[in-house]
Amino acid sequence: MTERTWMNGRHWTDDELIARLYGVGPEDGHIDTCEDCARRLSAIKAVREGVLNSPLDVSEAFLAAQRRAVMERAHGGNYGSWVFSLTPALSALALILLAFLLSRPAPPPQPSLASSETQLFVEVYEEIQTAEPSAVAPIYGLFEVGQ
């Protein structure tokens, strides 16, 4: 067998070791018998302890400056502040303009010309007075009326 193999054919992966560190990993006794995996698990534990126990050397001034920068960026800085302050006023102006345009009365209807109505009645009356349909008129042209 090689150094990276074990009875089941493999060593634990880093994910399995980290899961074991937090108490949710496999419980097959591999760590008790494999020196390589036990050494890797103890190295992961050492790194975790170093991170958890290291003091934070961050000054209050640094944290305050970082907070100011985040707040300025979140509120859009100087450029976005005036745009956001005018948004309600611009919205109200748009609604007033829309209401004005929609509430205007319709233009009064244009009076129709009496001559066009008279012409319509004349044409309708002529069609009614004729006993023959208008499609017959071309046929009369084929025959000569005796003179």
Side-chain angles (χ1 to χ4, degrees):
M1 283 202 258
T2 64
E3 183 181 316
R4 292 292 291 175
T5 59
W6 189 65
M7 294 173 94
N8 65 358
R10 65 174 188 84
H11 286 285
W12 281 4
T13 64
D14 288 341
D15 291 335
E16 291 171 327
L17 291 171
I18 292 171
R20 173 65 184 261
L21 177 69
Y22 288 102
V24 293
E27 296 287 337
D28 61 0
H30 178 77
I31 293 293
D32 300 330
T33 57
C34 180
E35 293 177 17
D36 187 32
C37 290
R39 181 179 42 79
R40 289 174 47 222
L41 180 62
S42 63
I44 291 173
K45 283 181 182 179
V47 169
R48 181 174 182 259
E49 291 298 320
V51 169
L52 291 177
N53 295 330
S54 66
L56 295 174
D57 294 332
V58 180
S59 69
E60 291 294 324
F62 174 76
L63 291 176
Q66 187 178 30
R67 179 176 169 79
R68 280 191 302 273
V70 167
M71 294 304 286
E72 181 179 327
R73 195 165 182 201
H75 294 300
N78 295 335
Y79 172 72
S81 62
W82 68 270
V83 172
F84 289 120
S85 65
L86 290 179
T87 301
L90 292 175
S91 299
L93 180 64
L95 283 175
I96 290 170
L97 181 64
L98 182 65
F100 175 73
L101 290 175
L102 292 177
S103 67
R104 286 188 13 204
Q110 298 294 328
S112 61
L113 300 174
S115 65
S116 63
E117 288 180 0
T118 306
Q119 180 68 27
L120 174 69
F121 288 132
V122 167
E123 289 175 6
V124 169
Y125 183 73
E126 285 176 358
E127 288 293 324
I128 292 174
Q129 292 300 318
T130 332
E132 299 167 343
S134 60
V136 176
I139 295 176
Y140 285 134
L142 297 175
F143 300 102
E144 289 184 24
V145 179
Q147 301 187 21

